[in-house]
Amino acid sequence: MYVITGFFVILFVIAISLVLGFIFSKPVPQNENKLVPISILLIDNHLPSTKAFLEYYASQIAWMDSEILTCMLLIYPEENAGAKMLCEDMSQEHDFFTACSINELHHILDERLKNMEIL
């Protein structure tokens, strides 16, 4: 009889401590994540081996957790039309690839740096 009473006393003490813990604990503040995981890859030619590498890379990105890498910028030189076409084709095939020129990249980074807040 004493064992059953002791067991219920222990359960009652645990229940009271849990209730008090929930009452007096403060919620953890949720901070907004300001970091954007991106990767930048310079594509300076349009050879079949470059396309094969990008396809392989795309399969690896698709396989891993999409929260790790959400955007990969494929950067091409302004004067190379073949590389531009390859980058645009890859960005149409895969959602996480974004094609842009070197000048567009400079503009994007300048805008991001102007809007960046120092914590």
Side-chain angles (χ1 to χ4, degrees):
M1 190 68 169
Y2 293 114
V3 174
I4 295 174
T5 306
F7 179 71
F8 284 118
V9 168
I10 290 173
L11 283 179
F12 181 72
V13 169
I14 290 173
I16 293 296
S17 64
L18 286 174
V19 168
L20 290 175
F22 283 122
I23 290 173
F24 292 112
S25 66
K26 296 180 182 177
V28 177
Q30 296 293 328
N31 294 332
E32 181 182 336
N33 186 7
K34 295 182 181 181
L35 298 177
V36 178
I38 64 167
S39 179
I40 298 173
L41 186 61
L42 178 64
I43 306 298
D44 59 354
N45 61 43
H46 58 284
L47 299 174
S49 60
T50 305
K51 182 173 172 84
F53 171 75
L54 289 175
E55 290 290 342
Y56 173 75
Y57 206 69
S59 68
Q60 293 298 315
I61 293 172
W63 176 77
M64 71 179 184
D65 187 11
S66 62
E67 294 295 320
I68 296 172
L69 182 63
T70 58
C71 180
M72 171 170 266
L73 298 175
L74 299 177
I75 309 301
Y76 55 87
E78 297 279 338
E79 64 276 356
N80 193 336
K84 177 181 179 180
M85 191 167 58
L86 174 63
C87 292
E88 289 176 352
D89 287 346
M90 292 302 291
S91 68
Q92 289 176 356
E93 289 179 26
H94 305 283
D95 293 337
F96 43 81
F97 283 151
T98 303
C100 66
S101 68
I102 293 175
N103 291 335
E104 291 172 347
L105 176 64
H106 285 289
H107 180 69
I108 291 170
L109 293 177
D110 287 340
E111 289 297 317
R112 292 291 252 173
L113 290 174
K114 285 179 189 174
N115 296 331
M116 185 169 41
E117 297 175 5
I118 299 175
L119 300 176

